[in-house]
Amino acid sequence: MLIHITPRLYQPFLDVSEPKLERIELPELDRVLTPNRDFIIRAPHANKKMLVACPKREEKQIGLCFKVDNYISTFTMNAQWRALDGTTLNHVVQYNLEDSDFDTTSDDIFLWGRLINGAGHFGNRTPAALRVFSPHQLRPTMEIVPLNFHLHATDTRDSRGIILERQQSLTMPTIERHRLLNRHNQQRGLFSHSIHYS
């Protein structure tokens, strides 16, 4: 099974040093990812305030891919960011798969909808209950201060209003693997750099 996640943080201040992502834990897989070895931080979108963990050697790939030998219905990501002043910012995301129709899943909500690319035509895989929300409301995102509405997000803040921990959950569909090879959106890359877990 191929799993694609996009650990991300919205940094509203471009004129200060960006936060650092110190580690990503995947407890159910007993794995810890560290910067420079497993990922680096990029600002791959037009909005340069959005920071995303990406593979070190694949400039076009947004987010991280990892392979597991068997189907997994639920897993957790713990991303530990550190702000410029040393404050630790924890982002905990509980991912739940809605189905087992295909062998791939992604938290990139833009990949769930109807798509036409070089590999074919794909129907809408977005869970019916989530179709009333925008991708930006659904996509797990850490923020330093709460700026936008995010579904199923619970924040713990300090006296300054800084988010010390955000807990989110996301129900994801499985998708056809060819959605990740969208030729009309090459910044998603070919996911040639994936991490294998047995």
Side-chain angles (χ1 to χ4, degrees), residues 6 173 178 181:
T6 55
H178 286 298
L181 308 179

Side-chain angles (χ1 to χ4, degrees), residues 1 70-74 96-105 125 172-176:
M1 182 174 191
N70 301 306
Y71 174 82
I72 181 170
S73 62
T74 184
N96 303 297
L97 270 61
E98 185 183 54
D99 60 80
S100 57
D101 296 343
F102 300 103
D103 69 346
T104 302
T105 191
R125 296 289 298 164
M172 303 189 297
T174 58
I175 59 175
E176 303 88 339

